[in-house]
Amino acid sequence: ALGRQSNHEEAVKRLQSVASLKLDVKPAAAGGPLTQVKVRVTNERAGHHLPTSLTEVRQVWLEVVVTDEEGHELLRNGTLDEHNELPADTVVFNAHAVDENGQHTHFPWEIVRFTDVNTIPPKGWKYGKYYFNIPDDAKEVKVTAKLHYRSFGQHLADLLLGEGAIKVPSVEMVKVEETYTVEALKTASAEPEGHH
């Protein structure tokens, strides 16, 4: 199945040029405990929303991990759990599909309308926002954000194909990683709001 393999690689390559990520780390407001990470997800495609079609089935989501220089996790969000499912608080870019009774549904043929459409318009962007505490003795903070894609969720695969028939694979579309010194973040928070 050589043809299929190259098709798959093409598809993956295409996915990897669809979106870009930009990090914005905002220090805690004076006296406030929480540092904010904003991840800007830009849809670099003209003419297509992200995801394009079957938005209620396809999953595009953000995974964000923040660690200090010792490797201690200060934040983890959007990492698939042991059942290959997305945690409830994951930032997902898709549409929520409901059936005629207003119940959430995964089945395309039951869908009557969409609620909470959170797809990203062409050349537009959306933010994922996260908050974390910086330990007193931390010197550096490393933020890693990844945008993942999969054709459908594990729950749907289990429903349609039987529990455990397949483990739905994911593709990492884009990743960004930056390290900030705590010193720089503290200095930034001392600046008055407004002119930067």
Side-chain angles (χ1 to χ4, degrees):
L2 208 79
R4 270 187 61 190
Q5 191 51 38
S6 62
N7 282 351
H8 176 73
E9 281 161 23
E10 277 299 295
V12 168
K13 268 205 197 75
R14 263 207 309 279
L15 275 173
Q16 287 168 337
S17 59
V18 167
S20 62
L21 298 178
K22 193 164 173 287
L23 295 178
D24 178 26
V25 176
K26 247 199 162 114
L34 293 175
T35 302
Q36 182 196 70
V37 183
K38 258 181 21 174
V39 185
R40 180 167 133 166
V41 184
T42 301
N43 177 2
E44 300 291 355
R45 269 204 179 143
H48 289 293
H49 276 251
L50 173 69
T52 306
S53 59
L54 280 174
T55 49
E56 71 289 350
V57 175
R58 296 192 168 153
Q59 293 183 326
V60 172
W61 76 94
L62 270 174
E63 177 182 20
V64 176
V65 179
V66 181
T67 54
D68 65 12
E69 74 280 3
E70 299 283 317
H72 298 134
E73 277 187 17
L74 311 180
L75 168 79
R76 177 177 287 276
N77 186 287
T79 302
L80 290 165
D81 68 15
E82 65 275 17
H83 306 297
N84 203 31
E85 298 278 16
L86 294 175
D89 57 355
T90 304
V91 175
V92 185
F93 301 103
N94 65 356
H96 222 60
V98 292
D99 64 17
E100 56 193 15
N101 304 314
Q103 296 300 307
H104 178 66
T105 177
H106 291 279
F107 296 124
W109 59 89
E110 290 181 355
I111 293 167
V112 292
R113 65 193 164 86
F114 293 105
T115 57
D116 315 325
V117 177
N118 193 30
T119 54
I120 307 178
K123 298 292 177 191
W125 60 83
K126 296 248 168 111
Y127 287 100
K129 276 189 197 167
Y130 307 87
Y131 297 90
F132 65 94
N133 272 312
I134 299 180
D136 292 338
D137 52 357
K139 298 185 179 41
E140 281 185 351
V141 172
K142 185 169 93 175
V143 181
T144 307
K146 298 175 181 179
L147 191 68
H148 296 283
Y149 168 90
R150 60 185 184 178
S151 306
F152 41 84
Q154 188 61 47
H155 178 67
L156 184 60
D158 290 346
L159 276 176
L160 295 181
L161 305 170
E163 201 95 4
I166 62 161
K167 182 177 180 205
V168 180
S170 312
V171 175
E172 185 181 302
M173 294 172 67
V174 56
K175 169 182 172 176
V176 61
E177 192 167 78
E178 281 181 44
T179 302
Y180 303 85
T181 67
V182 171
E183 201 45 53
L185 288 174
K186 288 199 169 124
T187 326
S189 71
E191 290 173 18
E193 278 298 312
H195 306 287
H196 285 303

